[in-house]
Amino acid sequence: MATEQPFFQIDDLHVEIEENQILRGVDLSVKRGEIHAIMGPNGSGKSTLAHTLMGHPSYEATAGQVLYNGEDILERDPNDRAKLGIFLAFQYPLAIPGVSTLNFLRTSLKAVKQEEISAREFRRHLLDKMDMLKINREFAGRYLNDGFSGGEKKRMEILQMAVLEPQLAILDEIDSGLDIDAIRAVGEGISSIMHPDMSIVIITHYPRILHYVKPDYVHIMVDGEIRQSGGFELAEELEAKGYDVLLKEVMVASTQTQQA
Amino acid sequence: MAVTEKDIQESKRVYKEKYGFADPEQAIYKAPKGLDPERVIEISRMKNEPEWMLEFRLKSLEIFNKKPVPEWGADLSHIPFDDLSYFVRTTEKQGTTWEDVPDYIKDTFDKLGIPEAERKFLAGVSAQYESEVVYHSIQKDLEAKGVIFLSTEEGLEQHPELFRQYFGTVIPSADNKFAAMNGAFWSGGSFVYVPKGVQVTIPLQAYFRINAEQMGQFERTLIIVDEGAYVHYVEGCTAPVYSTDSFHSGVIEIIVKKNARCRYTTIQNWSTNVYNLVTQRSAVYEGGVMEWVDANLGSSITMKYPSVYLMEPGAKGDILSIAYAGDGQVLDAGGKAVHVAPNTSSKIISKSISQHGGRTSFRGLLKIYKGAESAKSAMRCDALILDSASRSDTYPTIEIEEEQVNLGHEAVVSRIGEDQLFYLMSRGLSESEAAGMIVSGFIEPIVKELPMEYAVEMNRLIQLQMDKAVG
Ligand SMILES: Nc1ncnc2c1ncn2[C@@H]1O[C@H](COP(=O)(O)OP(=O)(O)OP(=O)(O)O)[C@@H](O)[C@H]1O
Ligand SMILES: [Mg+2]
């Protein structure tokens, strides 16, 4: 495995929003089938990273590159990235009043896969996925995210991921605002969608979801950089100590190594 | 999310190809340009009208000449009144089969899909080309039940008493300058009568086509829905793209009697060189229901405020409108509800979209007279602005003389959000597909009121306007 080319690689990524520097050199390397968790305090730049990876027009990459299957995708439009197999579950999904979840997802699937799918066939496909994720079928006819509760919106993001079958899923706080049972449902849903060729970057504040979506690596982002990386135990350590203590220990450790 | 000149040209090209083609002019009579009373006398003579109608026309022309061009709305100072021809005849006789219609005109309506729609889902069709109706039909069983669906000229000729009893009663020529102009030059349009209790369950459709350059079209429609009856009348219209201006000024009068119901749907898709100034009004009696569904997508300038006069207790009026304004277009639309009697209710709901520098204005008037106790009314307008070059304004007016009323008023102007577009684009949609989806969702509450065929057509037309080439 160690010799395999990472299929997704971020090198020294710098990002500005309206001329404010937010990301200051992010590096991350993800192989096929790996799950990476990114944790970090509020405002540290996690969503900025997620939006940049999907191509939000307000986020300007001023340095660095993002390689997907060896190609730098930073110049590509969000819809092209979706067609390449990248998916972002939004921390704050948007409502599209007047457009049913069913119609939206059918249009989306046609765009991403670039092939026709009959209304009847799609409907069956969608209802299967809804059953699998234990989402009430009634949501298919409701306007997308319009009046949905916070938790319902998050579950819709997972449904979209299930339908679009991405190669790389970036999940931005998919667990926030969910009750304990819903975290389990979403966690189990994600693991049932996961397959050996799919990679996940999951952004979260809490280790709970990581028990269902078990990361190979955990990274801690602070002030627009990845300050610390480790295995699953890093998430648990973080939960026990909090960022302050953990990061101080890291600082001390790194000063010591520098001094040594 | 910048608008490119390319996007604008593309949307114009598609219109031109589908609707904006022109036939070579083959009129058998085209009135000399201008507003001379001689022209009015000539039209009346050519139509073999009774004396009272000629008088009505001349009186209307006088009113037209006296009234100033209104200045409270869109800029009408450039209407080339003296360069327009006010009457164009293309055939001596009106057809009742498509074979009766001159070939080139039939081809045009074929291209616009009218005969096909007639076979599939309509109870009757009236097709007007230039100034007159060239074809009309109605299903035999409806005719047998006494339903009348004729051109307005035939209505006057075949049902003179019924016609004269109602004509000009809902919209007198003195109402406004353009109603007066129509009164003077009216030609074509439909005369509809639905007898007591008869339900016309599938729509009657009228289609208006302007082909000639620099002409004025003055359709005049009169619809009478007798007690307990129901009818849905749909009108559509298109014109070729010319660099000179044309003019359309319709007058539509509707009488909804006790417990009757009428729905009048417009899908206006004129080319962007047509001025569209239309007066539509309905008088609604006890327990009757009037519904205007008004979609305005084309024209250079539209001013149009379908209105309901709720004359007797329990009368109800709904005005639902959609306006789309693109490059160089000013769409000034909305509705008027006038409550005269107790327990009447009205709803004015408008959705407007502006893009590519287009401008929409919503004008809503609600008037509740003293004595209209327990009147209920809701006015709501939502405007969606697609880019920074475009604009939308709202001008609600509310005049209330009665205390015991129940009112709601709401206006929401929103810009299409970058985040909303990004969300949809992250799901594979291109920017214009994403904007198209947001817009079709925006108008969905009104589109879902339309019969399925028109709902599909409506969405298709909007997408077509929005620079999205439709395959
Ligand atoms: N338009 C903007 N202009 C200036 N600063 C912005 C803008 N948008 C975001 N920021 C800032 O960028 C920083 C990173 O925000 P981001 O949303 O990426 O944080 P996050 O790590 O996802 O936080 P959370 O855990 O709260 O979701 C924050 O300080 C935020 O205020
Ligand atoms: Mg965030």
Side-chain angles (χ1 to χ4, degrees):
Chain A
M1 283 286 261
T3 53
E4 194 197 322
Q5 265 292 329
F7 116 98
F8 184 62
Q9 186 169 332
I10 306 172
D11 289 329
D12 194 33
L13 183 65
H14 286 66
V15 171
E16 288 182 6
I17 314 171
E18 291 163 11
E19 307 190 351
N20 298 298
Q21 185 86 48
I22 310 291
L23 299 187
R24 304 158 195 277
V26 173
D27 296 292
L28 186 70
S29 177
V30 179
K31 296 196 180 105
R32 273 190 200 282
E34 283 180 351
I35 298 177
H36 289 241
I38 299 180
M39 306 179 80
N42 295 132
S44 56
K46 303 178 302 295
S47 293
T48 301
L49 177 65
H51 281 130
T52 307
L53 296 179
M54 200 69 229
H56 192 296
S58 301
Y59 295 74
E60 191 193 350
T62 50
Q65 57 180 2
V66 175
L67 299 176
Y68 181 86
N69 275 330
E71 179 204 348
D72 189 347
I73 56 166
L74 278 174
E75 290 302 314
R76 283 187 177 261
D77 285 338
N79 49 328
D80 283 341
R81 299 186 200 200
K83 287 173 195 168
L84 290 175
I86 305 176
F87 176 87
L88 170 61
F90 282 57
Q91 182 176 356
Y92 303 108
L94 287 102
I96 313 290
V99 177
S100 73
T101 300
L102 181 104
N103 271 342
F104 158 72
L105 267 176
R106 181 166 166 237
T107 310
S108 173
L109 183 63
K110 281 198 288 195
V112 166
K113 302 277 184 210
Q114 289 163 286
E115 59 190 42
E116 275 304 314
I117 168 161
S118 78
R120 162 130 33 105
E121 195 184 335
F122 178 72
R123 192 183 176 78
R124 193 167 345 104
H125 182 67
L126 179 65
L127 294 179
D128 284 351
K129 300 280 183 190
M130 293 180 97
D131 293 350
M132 177 187 95
L133 296 172
K134 303 191 179 66
I135 292 173
N136 191 327
R137 287 178 166 207
E138 171 233 0
F139 280 91
R142 283 180 61 180
Y143 296 156
L144 183 64
N145 293 332
D146 194 22
F148 290 16
S149 76
E152 287 166 350
K153 287 183 187 172
K154 294 300 171 85
R155 297 182 68 169
M156 280 297 134
E157 295 292 285
I158 297 306
L159 175 64
Q160 293 179 35
M161 174 167 100
V163 168
L164 299 177
E165 301 176 320
Q167 298 291 304
L168 170 66
I170 302 155
L171 310 176
D172 192 357
E173 296 200 23
I174 196 66
D175 53 339
S176 65
L178 294 184
D179 65 47
I180 290 176
D181 291 351
I183 290 184
R184 171 165 357 109
V186 162
E188 286 173 355
I190 297 169
S191 33
S192 67
I193 296 164
M194 183 71 181
H195 55 82
D197 276 346
M198 180 179 166
S199 310
I200 292 181
V201 174
I202 179 167
I203 295 167
T204 182
H205 287 294
Y206 309 106
R208 183 181 295 272
I209 184 89
L210 302 181
H211 289 285
Y212 303 100
V213 186
K214 225 167 163 109
D216 301 292
Y217 299 93
V218 174
H219 310 274
I220 296 177
M221 178 175 273
V222 182
D223 285 341
E225 292 173 350
I226 288 178
R227 200 58 71 73
Q228 176 77 342
S229 299
F232 183 59
E233 71 291 346
L234 189 57
E236 286 169 325
E237 206 184 330
L238 181 63
E239 174 150 69
K241 296 178 179 165
Y243 289 110
D244 255 11
V245 175
L246 185 85
L247 292 169
K248 264 190 206 118
E249 286 178 10
V250 172
M251 285 263 272
V252 172
S254 73
T255 353
Q256 280 168 351
T257 30
Q258 272 169 28
Q259 282 168 351
Chain B
M1 317 281 156
V3 186
T4 64
E5 186 57 24
K6 202 176 119 255
D7 293 337
I8 296 175
Q9 291 317 324
E10 175 60 14
S11 74
K12 292 195 168 167
R13 188 190 63 74
V14 177
Y15 181 93
K16 200 164 179 168
E17 193 176 291
K18 303 215 172 212
Y19 311 103
F21 55 87
D23 301 329
E25 281 186 38
Q26 302 179 37
I28 60 173
Y29 175 80
K30 185 171 184 179
K33 290 174 180 175
L35 289 153
D36 202 284
E38 275 307 310
R39 304 283 86 78
V40 171
I41 294 166
E42 181 69 4
I43 292 172
S44 190
R45 194 192 58 75
M46 288 179 73
K47 291 181 185 293
N48 290 319
E49 287 176 353
E51 196 57 26
W52 73 267
M53 185 54 82
L54 175 61
E55 278 162 27
F56 177 89
R57 287 180 184 277
L58 290 170
K59 183 90 190 81
S60 300
L61 184 62
E62 253 173 59
I63 297 169
F64 170 78
N65 284 327
K66 271 193 218 133
K67 283 192 183 284
V69 173
E71 283 175 357
W72 45 265
D75 178 8
L76 302 177
S77 60
H78 303 292
I79 301 174
F81 287 116
D82 297 327
D83 293 336
L84 301 175
S85 174
Y86 291 92
F87 182 66
V88 181
R89 173 170 282 182
T90 53
T91 173
E92 282 298 347
K93 71 169 183 37
Q94 191 179 302
T96 50
T97 73
W98 284 104
E99 278 61 50
D100 300 337
V101 176
D103 283 347
Y104 74 100
I105 296 180
K106 176 179 182 293
D107 285 351
T108 287
F109 284 113
D110 267 335
K111 277 192 230 167
L112 298 170
I114 308 304
E116 192 190 346
E118 178 183 12
R119 285 192 298 273
K120 284 190 185 152
F121 58 87
L122 296 170
V125 165
S126 162
Q128 175 159 344
Y129 190 89
E130 319 289 30
S131 293
E132 291 178 314
V133 174
V134 294
Y135 168 83
H136 81 85
S137 71
I138 178 161
Q139 285 182 356
K140 289 278 166 286
D141 59 322
L142 291 174
E143 210 168 16
K145 286 180 189 156
V147 176
I148 301 170
F149 178 44
L150 295 169
S151 70
T152 305
E153 288 86 342
E154 288 174 318
L156 171 59
E157 193 185 314
Q158 297 175 25
H159 304 275
E161 272 148 46
L162 187 62
F163 188 97
R164 197 171 178 179
Q165 187 185 345
Y166 292 103
F167 181 85
T169 57
V170 185
I171 305 172
S173 289
D175 187 79
N176 68 76
K177 187 171 179 78
F178 298 102
M181 191 177 199
N182 180 286
F185 294 99
W186 75 263
S187 182
S190 307
F191 177 73
V192 179
Y193 173 77
V194 187
K196 277 187 192 170
V198 174
Q199 310 293 306
V200 183
T201 49
I202 51 177
L204 301 176
Q205 156 132 22
Y207 199 93
F208 296 89
R209 177 79 180 170
I210 293 178
N211 177 64
E213 204 169 347
Q214 294 183 295
M215 80 160 282
Q217 190 183 58
F218 300 94
E219 124 222 25
R220 179 96 195 188
T221 288
L222 178 58
I223 299 175
I224 302 146
V225 193
D226 215 330
E227 294 183 8
Y230 169 71
V231 70
H232 182 186
Y233 179 96
V234 184
E235 60 162 1
C237 47
T238 55
V241 177
Y242 291 124
S243 56
T244 53
D245 292 326
S246 283
F247 189 85
H248 171 87
S249 182
V251 165
I252 289 97
E253 299 180 282
I254 300 181
I255 293 100
V256 180
K257 297 206 173 176
K258 186 175 170 182
N259 296 329
R261 182 170 154 225
C262 178
R263 173 173 281 212
Y264 189 105
T265 298
T266 302
I267 298 181
Q268 183 269 101
N269 191 22
W270 295 119
S271 52
T272 53
N273 52 287
V274 177
Y275 283 92
N276 183 50
L277 310 173
V278 177
T279 310
Q280 299 183 171
R281 189 175 302 160
S282 165
V284 191
Y285 295 91
E286 192 182 332
V289 179
M290 177 69 210
E291 298 158 320
W292 297 102
V293 181
D294 196 34
N296 290 291
L297 312 176
S299 80
S300 62
I301 290 179
T302 283
M303 288 176 74
K304 191 167 190 274
Y305 322 96
S307 53
V308 288
Y309 280 61
L310 306 170
M311 310 300 293
E312 289 183 351
K316 185 168 177 282
D318 287 350
I319 303 160
L320 310 179
S321 70
I322 296 175
Y324 170 92
D327 179 39
Q329 290 182 271
V330 178
L331 273 283
D332 201 310
K336 279 199 259 184
V338 179
H339 295 247
V340 183
N343 295 311
T344 44
S345 64
S346 67
K347 233 189 309 184
I348 302 177
I349 296 175
S350 148
K351 297 261 182 186
S352 77
I353 301 142
S354 50
Q355 188 188 24
H356 298 162
R359 183 169 170 190
T360 58
S361 301
F362 166 79
R363 248 171 257 275
L365 171 78
L366 169 64
K367 167 106 194 171
I368 299 182
Y369 279 100
K370 186 94 197 138
E373 280 162 32
S374 308
K376 260 199 332 211
S377 178
M379 198 192 287
R380 185 188 162 96
C381 69
D382 294 327
L384 185 64
I385 303 175
L386 264 51
D387 51 49
S388 56
S390 306
R391 169 169 171 187
S392 180
D393 301 278
T394 59
Y395 306 96
T397 308
I398 298 181
E399 296 168 16
I400 295 169
E401 295 173 359
E402 179 59 50
E403 271 150 37
Q404 276 191 19
V405 294
N406 178 346
L407 295 185
H409 169 56
E410 214 176 334
V412 180
V413 177
S414 44
R415 295 193 171 267
I416 205 162
E418 187 176 65
D419 285 332
Q420 242 181 346
L421 285 176
F422 173 61
Y423 186 57
L424 294 181
M425 288 178 77
S426 79
R427 302 303 188 246
L429 279 67
S430 70
E431 187 177 336
S432 67
E433 286 168 338
M437 181 175 273
I438 292 167
V439 167
S440 66
F442 176 72
I443 58 173
E444 165 69 12
I446 293 181
V447 169
K448 73 166 196 271
E449 293 296 316
L450 299 171
M452 208 257 286
E453 293 81 3
Y454 293 101
V456 171
E457 173 76 355
M458 187 64 215
N459 265 317
R460 207 177 58 81
L461 289 173
I462 287 260
Q463 304 299 324
L464 192 150
Q465 302 274 36
M466 299 180 57
D467 74 48
K468 191 185 139 195
V470 200

